[in-house]
Amino acid sequence: MELSLAHPAIKAFMCGSLSGTCSTLLFQPLDLVKTRLQTLQSGMQPGSARVGMVTVLLSVVRTERLLGLWKGVSPSFARTIPGVGIYFSTYYSLKQHFFLDRSPRALEAVLLGAGARTVAGVFMLPVTVIKTRFESGRYNYGSVVGALRSVCQTEGPLALFSGLMATLLRDAPFSGIYVMFYSQTKASLPKEVSASAYAPLANFSCGVLAGVSASLITQPADVVKTHVQVSPQLRTADAIRYIYMEHGFQGFFRGAVPRLLRRTMMAAMAWTVYEQMMARIGLKS
């Protein structure tokens, strides 16, 4: 089927998948560093020096070479390509259904973004679990298929949905807050800028601002989600208690810098590419 004949939601899916592919390939190293930082067992070494992003980055390069920074990129692609596609097609469909004649208000934008992310998050959670374990360095999985087989055989299929609550508590608010800030800041741009050749840069800047805000607010949920998926015997409440007892309040913000950089840049790039592609094929994003 030619793209021109495809359903608008399918076009949105394809545009979202392509934008997610580009952003994932570029920023995968930040995701790996973030996961390693969050799963360090510093509680076993009282008084030890704080391990930072640069230390982990250099350690990965030294022990696993430069390509080690892209460890887990296969499950990232398996999650992002359909996941971002599902997110944007759901977002487009919801927006066309409820807000065909007007732009959503601030609270409506929160619900719109959160709803689209919830749908995508539930569908793609098994891939997210495998990706997180792959990146953590705790498991000696030889391949993505081997990791999937190992989890199903040793822990059962339900382990693929570990961290569901923490994931939704992180992703739904992130997307909702992001869409709210992004849509509001974009709407405040002068019309001359939005219609000029600088529109992609302006949209990207709005995305960066929205990404920073959403990342900081949802960082604690991301740390909890990582612990639950790496150690599936932990429940969400147990993970919260463990993080606080071992690392204190600051433990909920471990890996904040690489995650903030990655999520902010990925989301800003994904939305900018998505909107430009949608405009090229004659659809309003």
Side-chain angles (χ1 to χ4, degrees), residues 77-99:
F77 275 142
R79 179 189 66 165
T80 301
I81 294 176
V84 178
I86 292 171
Y87 170 76
F88 277 119
S89 60
T90 304
Y91 173 85
Y92 176 84
S93 299
L94 290 173
K95 190 175 180 182
Q96 290 299 303
H97 183 75
F98 293 105
F99 307 106

Side-chain angles (χ1 to χ4, degrees), residues 176-186 206 209-211 213-214 217:
I177 295 167
Y178 183 93
V179 171
M180 179 191 70
F181 277 107
Y182 181 74
S183 60
Q184 296 300 307
T185 52
K186 186 182 170 186
C206 292
L209 178 62
S213 304
I217 294 172

Side-chain angles (χ1 to χ4, degrees), residues 107-249:
L107 181 57
E108 293 170 337
V110 171
L111 296 175
L112 182 62
R117 179 56 63 190
T118 298
V119 172
V122 171
F123 271 100
M124 303 311 300
L125 185 62
V127 184
T128 303
V129 171
I130 297 299
K131 182 193 79 70
T132 302
R133 293 194 179 196
F134 225 82
E135 293 174 353
S136 70
R138 291 191 188 180
Y139 300 86
N140 296 317
Y141 296 138
S143 66
V144 174
V145 175
L148 180 63
R149 185 184 302 113
S150 175
V151 171
C152 290
Q153 289 178 348
T154 60
E155 303 171 43
L158 285 180
L160 294 173
F161 289 89
S162 60
L164 174 61
M165 184 59 66
T167 299
L168 294 182
L169 287 175
R170 177 200 65 172
D171 286 352
F174 176 90
S175 185
I177 295 167
Y178 183 93
V179 171
M180 179 191 70
F181 277 107
Y182 181 74
S183 60
Q184 296 300 307
T185 52
K186 186 182 170 186
S188 67
L189 293 174
K191 291 185 178 180
E192 309 84 68
V193 175
S194 300
S196 70
Y198 297 102
L201 180 59
N203 292 344
F204 188 84
S205 300
C206 292
V208 169
L209 178 62
V212 169
S213 304
S215 294
L216 288 175
I217 294 172
T218 58
Q219 175 65 20
D222 183 68
V223 177
V224 173
K225 184 273 306 180
T226 298
H227 276 269
V228 171
Q229 291 181 343
V230 171
S231 303
Q233 70 274 12
L234 289 177
R235 295 183 178 180
T236 299
D238 297 329
I240 294 173
R241 190 180 304 109
Y242 170 80
I243 294 167
Y244 183 77
M245 295 297 294
E246 290 291 321
H247 310 297
F249 181 74

Side-chain angles (χ1 to χ4, degrees), residues 24-32 69-73 76 135:
T24 297
L25 183 61
L26 283 175
F27 302 116
Q28 172 64 19
L30 289 172
D31 191 52
L32 181 133
L69 293 172
W70 275 268
K71 185 175 184 179
V73 74
S76 286
E135 293 174 353

